[in-house]
Amino acid sequence: MINYNNTEFILSAAGTSQFLRGADIPTVAIAGRSNVGKSSVINSLVRRKNFARTSAQPGKTAHVNYFRVDDTFYLADLPGYGYAKVSKAEKERWARLMESFFAEADLIGAGILIVDARHKPTGDDVTMCNWFKGTGVPLLVVANKLDKLKKSEVEPNLKRIEDTLGLIVTQLLPYSAETNFNREALEESVAELLPTA
Ligand code: GTP
Ligand code: MG
């Protein structure tokens, strides 16, 4: 059992030179659109309200934030994408940072892509999903903000996410960082993503 209470912030990487390399434990990268709830899902996992900063200013954090979880794996909170009001220069900085992150095979041991359970995944979501698929690492897709759906919407929405992202064997987990719905299932899925020691 991974003790998520035992999580510490390690560093905020602003550029390629600061990415964690040659670590003793694998890195699980969390990606998703700006405002989809990446930081909230991390907060939900570590059971602390303001651990990973939830942003009042979406699109402002073009850093890769690393956390060390129970000496078992690193969580890398990737900067969000798709926020309309971000300047062209910021978007280009984001693209350079992510391209260099995904280009280096050793930086990622597994991936978690967070999408919004309410919406059809965007073109950017599809691109990010394909970046993960391209690395060949195990991937988990989390459909967050499930609490905002009516019961009747759940199944069709999940199906639409699977179809749009072309998920065949990849697991899709409905989730709510707000209510912690499926938190235990998420913990189990994350454990399964990790290479067995
Ligand atoms: P960036 O760091 O800007 O990319 O955003 P992020 O993906 O880290 O999103 P963040 O965790 O900051 O959450 C964005 C907003 O969505 C916040 O107001 C959260 O409270 C809210 N939120 C996150 N998850 C959920 C959820 O499961 N349900 C509901 N209702 N709100 C959520
Ligand atoms: Mg965030």
Side-chain angles (χ1 to χ4, degrees):
M1 275 286 279
I2 297 164
N3 176 14
Y4 280 90
N5 281 309
N6 182 20
T7 299
E8 55 178 335
F9 173 76
I10 300 295
L11 73 103
S12 187
T16 317
S17 65
Q18 293 173 307
F19 292 153
L20 282 188
R21 293 186 177 79
D24 48 333
I25 50 177
T27 295
V28 178
I30 296 199
R33 250 169 53 214
S34 187
N35 224 35
V36 74
K38 295 173 299 299
S39 302
S40 299
V41 169
I42 293 173
N43 289 338
S44 159
L45 273 175
V46 306
R47 292 149 175 86
R48 283 185 247 171
K49 266 259 170 257
N50 293 306
F51 188 66
R53 208 178 328 133
T54 43
S55 52
Q57 281 183 297
K60 272 285 169 196
T61 47
H63 287 68
V64 176
N65 293 312
Y66 284 97
F67 306 91
R68 188 177 172 103
V69 183
D70 203 23
D71 297 330
T72 308
F73 66 96
Y74 289 105
L75 256 186
D77 185 9
L78 302 183
Y81 49 83
Y83 185 60
K85 287 179 197 156
V86 167
S87 70
K88 190 158 173 264
E90 264 300 297
K91 276 183 193 154
E92 281 165 3
R93 207 182 84 74
W94 179 91
R96 275 199 306 276
L97 192 69
M98 287 300 93
E99 269 162 30
S100 57
F101 187 80
F102 279 93
E104 228 180 293
D106 301 353
L107 295 181
I108 319 174
I112 300 175
L113 175 65
I114 303 187
V115 296
D116 193 318
R118 294 171 295 178
H119 308 305
K120 181 181 158 119
T122 64
D124 288 337
D125 289 328
V126 174
T127 300
M128 183 54 82
C129 191
N130 288 335
W131 276 4
F132 274 122
K133 287 178 183 173
T135 64
V137 300
L139 174 66
L140 169 71
V141 179
V142 172
N144 189 40
K145 306 201 183 185
L146 194 78
D147 58 287
K148 296 212 174 199
L149 290 191
K150 295 190 202 112
K151 248 207 162 78
S152 63
E153 293 172 323
V154 173
E155 215 179 302
N157 281 28
L158 292 176
K159 175 83 171 70
R160 182 172 60 175
I161 291 167
E162 269 174 357
D163 291 347
T164 309
L165 295 179
L167 305 182
I168 301 161
V169 289
T170 301
Q171 194 198 346
L172 174 63
L173 184 73
Y175 198 76
S176 170
E178 182 79 19
T179 66
N180 297 319
F181 173 76
N182 260 347
R183 184 163 66 184
E184 256 179 58
L186 178 59
E187 289 184 6
E188 277 168 29
S189 298
V190 171
E192 278 165 25
L193 289 177
L194 301 173
T196 41

